[in-house]
Structure formats: C-alpha cells, structure tokens
C-alpha cells in the first residue's frame, strides 16, 4: 500500500526520544542570549572551504551539502510535515516547532498542524545527547536510515552541537515504495505488520532515459538532537531557524564554514561573526524552494541544476553573486 505504513515506522518514536528514568531537569537548558562561541580552540585554528573560482559556487554548494539518495536524487517530504520538539520549557518547544512549520510553508512543503498528527520531524534538546542517541540506536535505529556497515559507529556518535539523521524511501513508477535502510533487502512499510516488511517486492522504475528512471526519493523522517549545554548561549530564534532548515532536507558537511551566507554556518567551525546569520537567509529559503519545486522524478543531475538555479538567483538578487 502506497505510504500506508508510515505510522508503523514512527509510532514508537516518541517513546524512545527521552531515555527511561532520565531526570526532567537535564533536558531544560536556559535559552539565554549570549555571545557566540569563538571559532577557534586554543592552539587550533579551523579554516573554512576555499571555493574554486572556476566552479559555480551555487552548484558546488548543492553538490557538497545535499547528499543524494540511493537513486541519486534529492529527497524532500511528500507527506505533510508534523513536528514534535522536546527538552526545552514548553513555550520554547512551541516556538521552535512553530518556526519549523512556518519555514516549511514558505518553501512549499505541505504541513500538518492537527493536534493528532504523527511527527515526522522530531527535535530533542538534551543535556546528555550521547546517551539519548545511544538509546535510539539500541531501540529505533530505523531512524538512522541507510548507512554502510563501516559507518555504524560514526552514525551513533554525537560530536556536534546539533546533529541530524534522516530516513528516506524510494518510490517506483507504479507507486510502490521502499524504505532506504542499512539492511539492503527490499523493505516496505506496512500498517499491519512490522515496520520493515522484508517480503515486500523491490520498487521498479523505467530504463532508457537520461532524464530519469521514473522513480523518486522522499524524506520520511528527520531526527534532530541538540546538545542543550552547547546551544543554550545562542539566540533561540537563530537555533530555531537552523533546525528548521536542517529538518526540511538532508544535509552533510556542516562541520566547516560555507562560502555562501547560510544559517547553517551558525554551528560550523571556522566562521567569523560576520559569517554566522541569526536567521534563515534568502539563499537558504531559495534552495529549499528549489528542492520542493523540482520534478521529483527527474534525474539527480537535473534536480541539482534546478536547485542551484534557485540559489543562484537569490544571491544575484542580494548582490552576493560572483
């Protein structure tokens, strides 16, 4: 059944987001506004990327920062975005959730604001992020999506102020869908069976076209964990926008400062104060709009070109193009 079993995959998510017996006070940081942490550590200086002047910087940004799915396409939410935020005082949880939905609407993603929707974006602020992540790894590693065996330890290690994990699925020509997981066997959601039905047939596409194989990639779930001790000194609005942009697309390479203005520099190493916006930039919104507007069944190379075009126009409009 087409997308029918998403609840079977996510129904137990909320139960594993906060480890059993964890003191409530550990997940309530003070969201104070303070100066941003220095981009250097004593004795160590981190530098950002050096763009190649012969390469279009917007295309290179998309190539470097947005990973493709197993179909070599760019995944985005097809199901309405439903958000749950835990770990801050209630009013700040609500603020972050609201901001994610606001940005989702602005970039063209469908949203679900009903009180009973099943969250497909889970955000956790924790004073013990590694313990939180280890608990999820033991009980709900399906939320980590696809990874190779050699990456297992890294996937379950918390090393940044904010980290994200994504579950995606491939959708075939006839509408059948398959979760992209560590287990390479065909895996389809089911409303009555287990979250991963290994007896499900593989999804099928069409061959013979350079424009694509008539398959698409969809984002099923975004899991975001924030170290409350490391982000508590940042403006809550900046953190909310960072998480919103992080939640609506798969990302990689966020450890280093980007050559383009983006809210994703907020937590990157090697960024000066002038490189760290406190809100989602026009480029961030343009990239996400491009992602949600491109033909989902086009080849990944064509999708990348279209997304980069949206980003390029945004930077030309604000005078930051090269």
């Amino acid at each position: 059944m087409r997308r029918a079993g998403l609840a079977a995959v996510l129904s137990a998510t909320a139960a594993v987001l906060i480890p059993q017996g964890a003191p409530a006070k550990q997940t309530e940081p003070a969201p104070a506004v303070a100066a941003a942490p220095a981009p250097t550590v004593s004795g160590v200086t981190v530098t950002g990327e050096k763009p190649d002047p012969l390469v279009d910087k917007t295309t290179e940004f998309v190539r470097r920062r947005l990973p493709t799915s197993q179909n070599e396409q760019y995944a985005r939410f097809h199901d309405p975005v439903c958000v749950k935020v835990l770990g801050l005082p209630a009013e700040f949880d609500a603020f972050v959730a609201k901001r994610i939905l606001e940005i989702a609407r602005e970039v063209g993603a469908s949203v679900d604001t009903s009180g009973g929707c099943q969250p497909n974006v889970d955000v956790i602020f924790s004073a013990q992020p590694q313990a939180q992540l280890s608990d999820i790894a033991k009980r709900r590693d399906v939320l980590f999506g696809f990874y190779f065996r050699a990456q297992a330890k890294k996937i379950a290690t918390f090393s940044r102020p904010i980290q994200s994990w994504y579950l995606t699925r491939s959708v075939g020509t006839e509408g059948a869908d398959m979760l992209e997981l560590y287990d390479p066997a065909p895996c389809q959601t089911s409303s009555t069976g287990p979250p991963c039905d290994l007896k499900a047939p593989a999804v099928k596409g069409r061959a013979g076209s350079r424009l694509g194989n008539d398959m698409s990639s969809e984002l099923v779930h975004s899991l975001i964990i924030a170290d409350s001790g490391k982000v508590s000194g940042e403006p809550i609005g900046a953190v909310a926008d960072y998480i919103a942009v992080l939640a609506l697309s798969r990302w990689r390479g966020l450890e280093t400062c980007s050559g383009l203005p983006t809210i994703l520099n907020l937590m990157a190493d090697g960024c000066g104060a002038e490189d760290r916006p406190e809100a989602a930039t026009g480029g961030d919104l343009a990239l996400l709009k491009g992602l949600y507007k491109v033909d989902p069944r086009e080849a990944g190379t064509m999708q990348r070109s279209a997304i980069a075009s949206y980003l390029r126009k945004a930077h030309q409009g604000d005078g930051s193009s090269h």
Side-chain angles (χ1 to χ4, degrees):
M1 183 180 295
R2 178 81 162 95
R3 304 184 182 87
L6 178 58
V9 178
L10 304 179
S11 60
T13 300
V16 303
L17 293 181
I18 300 297
Q20 297 296 323
K25 289 185 178 179
Q26 291 181 344
T27 60
E28 295 189 2
V33 178
T40 60
V41 179
S42 179
V44 179
T45 300
V46 181
T47 58
E49 298 173 0
K50 294 182 178 180
D52 185 338
L54 301 179
V55 177
D56 178 74
K57 63 180 180 180
T58 54
T59 301
E60 191 64 9
F61 182 89
V62 175
R63 187 191 304 275
R64 284 175 176 265
R65 302 295 180 164
L66 271 64
T68 56
S69 66
Q70 289 179 283
N71 290 335
E72 298 184 349
Q73 294 173 308
Y74 294 95
R76 63 280 182 86
F77 281 109
H78 175 274
D79 302 313
V81 175
C82 178
V83 181
K84 184 173 185 179
V85 182
L86 296 171
L88 295 175
E91 64 270 25
F92 290 103
D93 283 343
F95 176 84
V96 174
K98 179 182 178 183
R99 189 59 182 145
I100 296 171
L101 293 176
E102 287 175 348
I103 290 183
R105 288 191 191 94
E106 186 168 355
V107 302
S110 177
V111 303
D112 190 335
T113 57
S114 64
C117 65
Q118 180 67 52
N120 52 15
V121 174
D122 280 290
V123 181
I124 312 163
F125 290 84
S126 176
Q128 297 179 313
Q130 182 57 64
Q132 182 74 77
L133 182 59
S134 297
D135 186 67
I136 293 174
K138 291 178 182 178
R139 298 198 281 154
R140 209 61 178 173
D141 64 346
V142 64
L143 299 181
F144 295 162
F146 177 82
Y147 58 90
F148 294 103
R149 183 186 298 271
Q151 298 173 309
K153 183 177 180 179
K154 182 177 180 181
I155 286 288
T157 300
F158 195 90
S159 58
R160 304 294 303 171
I162 300 178
Q163 287 181 228
S164 57
W165 297 261
Y166 304 96
L167 175 62
T168 58
R169 62 184 165 210
S170 297
V171 183
T173 298
E174 299 175 354
D177 62 89
M178 181 178 71
L179 293 177
E180 297 178 332
L181 298 173
Y182 167 70
D183 190 324
C187 180
Q188 191 173 39
T189 57
S190 170
S191 58
T192 57
C196 183
D197 180 3
L198 296 181
K199 297 180 180 180
V203 297
K204 299 179 181 179
R206 293 174 181 163
S209 173
R210 290 179 296 176
L211 302 180
N213 57 9
D214 202 37
M215 298 178 67
S216 62
S217 180
E218 296 178 356
L219 189 54
V220 176
H221 186 270
S222 294
L223 169 65
I224 299 171
I225 300 179
D227 185 332
S228 57
K230 291 184 178 179
V231 305
S232 61
E234 299 287 350
I236 186 64
V239 172
D241 276 25
Y242 182 96
I243 290 174
V245 172
L246 197 64
L248 295 172
S249 172
R250 296 175 68 217
W251 297 93
R252 66 181 174 191
L254 303 184
E255 299 85 0
T256 56
C257 197
S258 165
L260 294 178
T262 171
I263 187 63
L264 297 176
N265 284 342
L266 184 70
M267 300 294 169
D269 298 327
C271 287
E274 68 281 3
D275 298 319
R276 293 161 45 90
E278 293 191 356
T281 66
D284 292 324
L285 300 177
L287 183 148
L288 290 173
K289 286 178 182 178
L291 175 66
Y292 280 86
K293 286 182 181 295
V294 296
D295 185 340
R297 295 186 179 275
E298 280 186 335
T301 52
M302 298 184 67
Q303 290 181 340
R304 179 168 59 246
S305 177
I307 294 168
S309 178
Y310 275 86
L311 182 57
R312 189 178 308 114
K313 290 177 182 178
H315 287 295
Q316 289 172 346
D318 65 17
S320 59
S321 62
H322 64 301

